[in-house]
């Protein structure tokens, strides 16, 4: 879309996309930039085959919004993997997002321990760390570890930007079983290097940050889930000099296939596959459910034999466990 700039009245808000897109914007002649996101049908498609409890759906949805916002704010071609691993009732969150904004996600949890747990991040995930991995199409893989700390997921992600990017960042995330949404604003450096602690950029970021902070709390997060991203931008910044740079579509795409699952099974070797198909749990079948999209793949004895004798599969040197 063409760039739109000026105060609220000069932007045609009604004709902006209202669906599952993210919006890149800036203030103060580029000294403060931001990204806003709201996903509804796309988020529902990502979790429709999972029976996530409300607390898990909320945290996973926030992780998805946070990861997509990060991809939108970082310049690279490839894939970003955001992983929270802890010892709490929710033991694992994984979100994978490509630079063209295709994502998939998964979570693991224990029902017994989750019941009655507070919404505080450390109570849900326990002690652990945020692992952020950037896998560029070309060049070296980059990984950053950030402690899980603070009341919410956004605090951990803000910690990454402060530690690794050295850019003051304000982030607000909200999600439930129907919608996930988020907004990220950053102070940009006036010149190359680390963003200054004072000056025009810092003052602009402080002002914009206070507006974003009105979304913190139950009322603000409910507003994020209830209205479109353009309407939220209008409500927050209608008195500011706002420039919308572009609107980009976000999509859910797992990428798993029956062929790919079959190749993985064949790599296990005959001994392990035959032991699985003869087990009491699913006699006569090997069943694999994708952790990301929930798709169930079934292979009977004939399927397994075809996998093991296929010329396209190299026989393993030894059985892997």
């Amino acid at each position: 879309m063409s760039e739109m700039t000026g105060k609220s009245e000069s932007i045609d808000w009604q004709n902006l996309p209202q669906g599952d897109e993210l919006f890149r914007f800036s203030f103060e002649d580029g000294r403060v930039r931001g990204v806003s996101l709201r996903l509804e049908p796309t988020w529902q498609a990502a979790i429709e085959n999972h029976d996530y409890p409300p607390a898990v759906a909320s945290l996973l949805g926030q992780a998805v919004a946070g990861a997509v916002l990060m991809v939108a704010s970082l310049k690279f071609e490839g894939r970003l993997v955001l992983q929270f691993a802890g010892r709490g009732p929710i033991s694992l969150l994984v979100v994978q997002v490509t630079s063209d904004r295709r994502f998939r996600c998964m979570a693991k949890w224990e029902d017994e321990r989750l019941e009655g747990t507070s919404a505080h991040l450390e109570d849900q995930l326990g002690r652990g760390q945020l692992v952020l991995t950037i896998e560029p199409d070309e060049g070296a893989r980059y990984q950053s570890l950030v402690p899980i700390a603070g009341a919410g997921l956004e605090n951990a992600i803000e910690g990454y930007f402060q530690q690794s990017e050295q850019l003051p960042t304000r982030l607000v995330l909200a999600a439930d079983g129907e919608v996930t949404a988020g907004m990220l604003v950053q102070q940009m450096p006036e010149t190359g290097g680390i963003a200054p602690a004072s000056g025009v950029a810092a003052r602009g970021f402080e002002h914009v940050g206070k507006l974003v902070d009105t979304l913190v709390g139950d009322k603000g997060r409910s507003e994020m889930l209830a209205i479109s991203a353009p309407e939220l931008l209008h409500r927050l910044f209608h008195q500011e000099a706002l420039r919308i740079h572009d609107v980009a579509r976000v999509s859910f795409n797992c990428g798993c296939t029956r062929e790919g699952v079959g190749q993985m099974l064949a790599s296990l070797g005959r001994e392990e596959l035959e032991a699985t198909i003869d087990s009491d749990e699913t006699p006569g079948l090997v069943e694999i459910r994708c952790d990301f999209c929930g798709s169930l793949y079934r292979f009977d004895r004939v399927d397994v034999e075809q996998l093991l004798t296929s010329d396209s599969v190299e026989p393993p040197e030894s059985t892997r466990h």
Side-chain angles (χ1 to χ4, degrees):
M1 62 168 286
S2 59
E3 192 173 86
M4 307 178 86
T5 185
K7 289 192 176 181
S8 176
E9 60 269 17
S10 64
I11 296 178
D12 188 0
W13 296 98
Q14 296 300 318
N15 287 327
L16 288 177
Q18 304 293 311
D20 288 5
E21 287 90 7
L22 64 84
F23 294 76
R24 293 185 181 90
F25 57 92
S26 66
F27 306 90
E28 299 289 341
D29 298 325
R31 294 186 178 96
V32 180
R33 70 177 181 182
V35 188
S36 183
L37 167 75
R38 184 181 185 274
L39 304 179
E40 190 167 351
T42 301
W43 168 235
Q44 293 171 15
I47 63 172
E48 64 180 350
N49 292 326
H50 297 279
D51 188 20
Y52 288 131
V56 176
S58 176
L59 199 59
L60 183 60
Q62 292 175 53
V64 166
V68 174
L69 291 172
M70 293 181 77
V71 165
S73 64
L74 299 172
K75 293 183 178 180
F76 77 104
E77 296 293 329
R79 185 175 74 160
L80 179 147
V81 181
L82 190 63
Q83 177 175 307
F84 295 85
R87 300 178 181 177
I90 303 175
S91 57
L92 181 65
L93 297 174
V94 179
V95 182
Q96 299 174 352
V97 188
T98 61
S99 51
D100 58 356
R101 301 163 306 281
R102 293 177 290 114
F103 76 89
R104 65 178 188 170
C105 58
M106 62 165 289
K108 293 186 178 181
W109 73 97
E110 298 177 39
D111 284 319
E112 298 80 6
R113 297 178 61 197
L114 187 62
E115 187 175 355
T117 302
S118 76
H120 196 283
L121 184 65
E122 292 183 57
D123 289 339
Q124 293 181 325
L125 293 178
R127 292 187 177 182
Q129 57 191 2
L130 176 161
V131 181
L132 172 71
T133 306
I134 296 177
E135 302 171 347
D137 293 336
E138 298 181 2
R141 181 172 176 265
Y142 170 83
Q143 190 169 81
S144 177
L145 279 64
V146 180
I148 292 176
L153 206 56
E154 50 265 87
N155 300 122
I157 297 176
E158 287 172 355
Y160 160 77
F161 279 107
Q162 187 63 46
Q163 172 183 301
S164 300
E165 300 293 318
Q166 296 178 314
L167 289 175
T169 301
R170 191 86 85 253
L171 178 66
V172 182
L173 304 170
D176 56 22
E178 301 293 327
V179 178
T180 180
M183 182 173 292
L184 177 151
V185 294
Q186 288 182 323
Q187 174 185 324
M188 299 303 295
E190 294 184 356
T191 58
I194 300 174
S198 61
V200 175
R203 291 195 298 272
F205 176 75
E206 182 180 356
H207 172 66
V208 172
K210 288 180 179 179
L211 295 175
V212 173
D213 283 345
T214 62
L215 299 174
V216 176
D218 293 341
K219 182 179 179 181
R221 295 177 199 277
S222 295
E223 183 179 22
M224 292 178 68
L225 298 177
I227 64 177
S228 68
E231 185 176 354
L232 185 64
L233 287 172
H234 184 209
R235 289 190 184 184
L236 284 180
F237 308 125
H238 62 277
Q239 294 184 336
E240 309 303 319
L242 176 70
R243 175 182 290 116
I244 296 179
H245 294 280
D246 68 273
V247 180
R249 188 72 178 175
V250 179
S251 63
F252 164 67
N253 181 271
C254 178
C256 71
T257 63
R258 182 176 177 84
E259 179 183 8
V261 173
Q263 291 177 351
M264 180 275 293
L265 290 175
S267 71
L268 297 176
R270 181 177 294 276
E271 181 180 347
E272 186 162 338
L273 276 179
E274 289 184 346
T276 302
I277 207 167
D278 290 332
S279 68
D280 294 333
E281 187 173 349
T282 55
L285 288 174
V286 176
E287 292 187 344
I288 300 292
R289 185 178 295 277
C290 176
D291 286 334
F292 289 97
C293 67
S295 296
L296 180 64
Y297 297 93
R298 290 188 174 95
F299 298 82
D300 60 20
R301 292 183 185 277
V302 174
D303 296 328
V304 168
E305 188 61 32
Q306 289 178 340
L307 291 175
L308 292 171
T309 57
S310 173
D311 293 336
S312 64
V313 177
E314 294 291 333
E317 295 180 3
S318 59
T319 301
R320 285 186 250 171
H321 296 274

